[in-house]
Amino acid sequence: MTSLTTIGFDADDTLWQNEQFFRLTERHFAELLSDHVDTEHLLERLLEAERRNLGAYGFGIKGFTLSMIETAIDVTGGKVPSEVIGKILAAGREMLSHPIETLPHVHDTLELLAGRYRLVLITKGDLFDQERKLAQSGLGDFFQAVEIVSDKSRPTYERIFARHGDGAEHAMMVGNSLKSDVVPAIEAGSWGVFVPHELTWVIEHVEAPKAAPRFREIGHLGELPGLLAEIGK
């Protein structure tokens, strides 16, 4: 059994709530445009814009806000009132200041593991916003390194686990996104531990790699120490 020395953790919707604020803002966005388009069609157009803009804006609230503005202009044929644009911008600013709510078992689990493994926070999104959330979470001292990346792929994990650990084969990645946290980490040679969250963004959905020897799924982070004991046998 290859020894495990390093554990990477995703941040949004793994350590703290995040997607719920996007869903709340989407509902507000639909209310603002309710005189122009029905909610289902609007959100379909918004998702199309988000997919289209990922390469330009990346992940995070700022790109989401720009996609909402683009969608509002699109569905109104360029006639969206300036007042609505202002309210969309205000909604984006509000998202950037929402309080951090850590998920159950996070603090206790990190405290338990911090002295046994190298813990690395690996998150994607806007640099300033991710730094703000980490600072407000009070979890920063548990991590020996923090990596805020534009995307998560096999080379991302190979690079990070070589830099902050003993290589990918001695590492584990824990997160709520199969697409970003689990599958590419397993491809890099790491363990990939899936911790489902009820509101994971649809763009992050892929099939679970259930046949992969290093794939595991747990119900919440409180189950991680037991899993580590099991695979270490």
Side-chain angles (χ1 to χ4, degrees):
M1 175 70 67
T2 302
S3 62
L4 181 67
T5 63
T6 307
I7 303 177
F9 286 88
D10 173 53
D12 293 336
D13 296 316
T14 298
L15 301 182
W16 53 68
Q17 298 284 8
N18 181 67
E19 184 65 19
Q20 66 180 14
F21 300 106
F22 285 83
R23 300 293 177 90
L24 288 170
T25 304
E26 282 182 351
R27 288 201 288 269
H28 180 47
F29 179 56
E31 292 171 359
L32 291 174
L33 275 298
S34 60
D35 290 341
H36 301 276
V37 62
D38 68 86
T39 297
E40 183 178 357
H41 182 62
L42 177 69
L43 296 185
E44 287 175 356
R45 298 290 285 274
L46 175 59
L47 182 60
E48 290 173 4
E50 290 180 275
R51 290 184 187 274
R52 188 169 59 246
N53 291 332
L54 277 177
Y57 303 150
F59 295 86
I61 292 169
K62 293 176 183 176
F64 175 62
T65 303
L66 289 171
S67 292
M68 284 194 292
I69 292 172
E70 178 181 320
T71 302
I73 293 171
D74 184 27
V75 300
T76 63
K79 298 178 181 179
V80 57
S82 60
E83 179 183 3
V84 171
I85 297 295
K87 289 181 178 179
I88 293 171
L89 289 169
R93 286 193 296 271
E94 184 176 350
M95 291 179 71
L96 288 167
S97 62
H98 65 72
I100 299 305
E101 177 187 345
T102 56
L103 289 162
H105 312 288
V106 167
H107 187 279
D108 290 346
T109 299
L110 293 179
E111 186 174 42
L112 179 64
L113 300 180
R116 304 179 184 182
Y117 303 90
R118 299 186 194 97
L119 303 188
V120 182
L121 183 69
I122 306 172
T123 180
K124 62 186 180 184
D126 179 76
L127 175 64
F128 291 160
D129 190 38
Q130 295 303 89
E131 288 180 335
R132 172 190 69 84
K133 288 188 282 191
L134 178 59
Q136 291 185 10
S137 74
L139 303 175
D141 289 343
F142 293 124
F143 295 98
Q144 291 183 262
V146 176
E147 292 277 353
I148 300 173
V149 298
S150 59
D151 202 1
K152 293 175 177 177
S153 62
R154 174 177 178 168
T156 303
Y157 292 113
E158 290 174 339
R159 181 181 70 253
I160 290 174
F161 289 136
R163 179 184 302 161
H164 300 298
D166 302 300
E169 66 176 13
H170 297 277
M172 170 183 285
M173 183 61 192
V174 181
N176 72 296
S177 170
L178 288 165
K179 181 178 180 181
S180 294
D181 302 320
V182 176
V183 171
I186 290 174
E187 290 174 346
S190 305
W191 292 87
V193 178
F194 178 45
V195 191
H197 186 281
E198 60 184 355
L199 295 178
T200 299
W201 191 24
V202 65
I203 288 178
E204 297 292 338
H205 291 183
V206 296
E207 289 294 319
K210 294 182 179 180
R214 286 194 158 199
F215 171 72
R216 295 292 188 277
E217 179 175 339
I218 56 178
H220 54 74
L221 277 186
E223 297 179 2
L224 184 59
L227 172 62
L228 290 166
E230 176 187 323
I231 67 175
K233 291 179 181 179

